[in-house]
Amino acid sequence: MISYARQNPEAQPEATSPPAEDHIAPAPRVSVQAFCETVETAAAVQAAGEDRRLGKAHLKIQMGGMAAAIEAYRTAPTPNVIILETEGRNDILTGLDQLATVCDAGTRVVVIGRVNDVGLYRELVRRGVSDYVLAPVNALDVVRSICGLFSAPEAKAVGRIIAIVGAKGGVGSSTIAHNVAWAIARDLALDSVVADLDLAFGTAGLDYNQDPPQGIADAVFSPDRVDTAFVDRLLSKCTDHLSLLAAPATLDRVYDFGADAFDSIFDTLRTTMPCIVLDVPHIWSGWTKRALIGADDILIVAAPDLASLRNTKNIYDLLKASRPNDRAPLYCLNQVGVPKRPEINAAEFAKAIESQPIASIPFEPQMFGAAANNGQMIAEVSAKHRTTEMFLQIAQRLTGRGETKKPRGSFLSPLIEKLRAK
């Protein structure tokens, strides 16, 4: 057992839509065994095991509390993490002393108890308990406790993954992804990487005017070589704060992957980049579903038509149900206002999906076409355009950062600029 400890001073209410700032790093591949006293705690632990952040952990739940744990480990090795629910103060300390005689070195112990006493907490720390959480607990309390055991408190938080996907083909989700990533990097000064997951037809290289000799295909086809140094060599630098993991956009091979094909790439990017924007292609497969469910935040891009409405509703409902302890997916409307085209307005979308779109991006074919053909972002083509401001607002919503990092000019700025011009 280890000596690092963290106490949850009071149980948190069940959160249906946690804020973006409540960021919890995923746990590694570890074994977790819980010994519960009450069915309520067992249900919370079971729900935690279904959370995406514990997707790699192997969780087993038993009833019987401390006594059952002591008996179980008399003849069996202990897992990476033991979760113990116990009732009174004396039960905790006596039970821990007995557990210590059968517990393997390196096993981390989380205690769920009902005694809120600093003296007890200090005694638990002295005995090597890793975490003490006050009951009653919910699923997010359990997720936070287990994941926190593997995140050093002094370490910088791992990168946030933002997945952007189109409700159907041709809605401009890649364009949105690339411009939002640009805003995150330029306006929020957050080091970011765009991962183009459309290996056959990806356009990130074109949009950023990059033609790197290597990219994401080199990593996905060589999973045993993937580490920080290897991925760094594959990145193409677009700006001071923005890098690109480009798709080959060639058809010399097929790109059929297993569900976990990108896991090692995403895990490696998390360790070095504060923000990872996934440009997810409009296909439905094991790995695209896994990438979306595993993301910290999701943006669905829809056109104002019936097919987009149906697909957005389906994607939104599935992801919301699959990620009960995360913020609900966000969505925006794109290509709004095509002349003479009947459209479904934002209010009708909001009524069907039971959520408001975070933006309605107007149809501006000349501006978007010029940007695409020149390998530029919308902000480079028209810095003052309302769409540029929309991309910044989307970037702020997805990252949870409400303010830009640009320095604010004083009322003398225009005069100073004129003097400099002279």
Side-chain angles (χ1 to χ4, degrees):
M1 290 185 281
I2 63 172
S3 59
Y4 163 59
R6 176 175 56 86
Q7 184 183 22
N8 182 9
E10 58 185 45
Q12 300 296 319
E14 185 69 36
T16 57
S17 184
E21 291 78 5
D22 189 12
H23 183 49
I24 303 172
R29 299 184 189 277
V30 291
S31 57
V32 183
Q33 293 184 10
F35 294 84
C36 305
E37 295 276 7
T38 64
V39 293
E40 292 80 9
T41 297
V45 176
Q46 180 66 44
E50 298 169 1
D51 188 276
R52 63 178 179 83
R53 286 157 289 210
L54 294 182
K56 295 180 181 179
H58 179 71
L59 178 64
K60 182 179 180 181
I61 304 170
Q62 301 179 51
M63 303 303 292
M66 185 77 74
I70 295 169
E71 185 61 32
Y73 298 130
R74 291 189 193 279
T75 57
T78 51
N80 300 113
V81 180
I82 301 173
I83 299 176
L84 298 170
E85 182 184 16
T86 186
E87 299 291 338
R89 176 190 179 100
N90 293 332
D91 292 343
I92 297 176
L93 299 180
T94 302
L96 285 174
D97 289 341
Q98 297 180 47
L99 182 64
T101 64
V102 297
C103 193
D104 299 334
T107 294
R108 308 182 188 204
V109 175
V110 174
V111 174
I112 298 174
R114 287 170 172 75
V115 180
N116 189 5
D117 177 68
V118 67
L120 172 62
Y121 170 65
R122 288 171 178 163
E123 192 59 34
L124 292 175
V125 172
R126 192 180 71 81
R127 279 172 162 81
V129 167
S130 301
D131 198 3
Y132 181 65
V133 186
L134 281 175
V137 297
N138 59 34
L140 198 57
D141 292 328
V142 179
V143 171
R144 186 182 291 109
S145 179
I146 296 173
C147 293
L149 299 179
F150 302 95
S151 296
E154 71 278 3
K156 188 177 180 180
V158 296
R160 176 181 297 274
I161 290 183
I162 296 170
I164 300 180
V165 65
K168 69 171 191 175
V171 297
S173 63
S174 290
T175 300
I176 303 297
H178 306 160
N179 280 274
V180 167
W182 179 273
I184 292 172
R186 188 192 69 164
D187 298 318
L188 304 183
L190 195 62
D191 286 338
S192 307
V193 61
V194 174
D196 191 344
L197 304 186
D198 189 352
L199 272 67
F201 303 107
T203 59
L206 297 176
D207 285 352
Y208 291 121
N209 196 25
Q210 299 283 324
D211 187 21
Q214 295 177 300
I216 194 167
D218 298 273
V220 77
F221 285 114
S222 304
D224 55 329
R225 297 178 58 196
V226 173
D227 58 20
T228 302
F230 181 67
V231 172
D232 282 347
R233 289 197 298 271
L234 302 180
L235 293 176
S236 175
K237 197 168 185 64
C238 301
T239 69
D240 287 343
H241 291 289
L242 183 64
S243 298
L244 170 64
L245 198 53
T250 58
L251 305 180
D252 55 348
R253 65 171 87 185
V254 293
Y255 303 105
D256 296 329
F257 305 122
D260 59 353
F262 290 88
D263 283 7
S264 60
I265 302 172
F266 298 161
D267 290 345
T268 302
L269 288 172
R270 276 187 187 273
T271 64
T272 58
M273 281 288 180
C275 184
I276 302 101
V277 178
L278 305 183
D279 180 4
V280 183
H282 181 72
I283 58 175
W284 196 241
S285 64
W287 69 265
T288 53
K289 180 180 178 182
R290 187 179 179 92
L292 291 171
I293 291 175
D296 295 292
D297 283 287
I298 303 161
L299 176 67
I300 305 167
V301 180
D305 57 38
L306 186 59
S308 282
L309 175 58
R310 179 199 64 185
N311 295 351
T312 300
K313 174 68 172 172
N314 288 341
I315 297 171
Y316 183 93
D317 289 348
L318 181 142
L319 294 176
K320 189 175 180 181
S322 301
R323 307 163 72 254
N325 303 312
D326 289 89
R327 182 169 68 165
L330 304 174
Y331 75 97
C332 71
L333 300 179
N334 191 30
Q335 302 170 352
V336 174
V338 175
K340 299 183 180 180
R341 180 181 71 174
E343 295 182 348
I344 299 175
N345 62 37
E348 292 175 287
F349 260 81
K351 183 178 179 180
I353 297 173
E354 300 179 348
S355 176
Q356 293 288 339
I358 64 170
S360 292
I361 300 170
F363 179 65
E364 300 278 0
Q366 186 171 356
M367 181 176 65
F368 277 86
N373 289 339
N374 295 332
Q376 293 178 299
M377 297 293 101
I378 297 301
E380 295 178 289
V381 174
S382 182
K384 302 295 184 181
H385 198 276
R386 58 175 175 163
T387 302
T388 300
E389 181 63 27
M390 285 184 181
F391 287 138
L392 174 57
Q393 292 171 356
I394 295 172
Q396 291 170 332
R397 286 288 301 273
L398 287 171
T399 59
R401 297 191 173 207
E403 298 194 9
T404 67
K405 300 296 183 181
K406 285 184 174 180
R408 180 181 293 178
S410 71
F411 68 96
L412 294 174
S413 295
L415 178 60
I416 293 173
E417 290 300 321
K418 287 183 180 179
L419 292 174
R420 285 177 177 172
K422 293 180 180 180

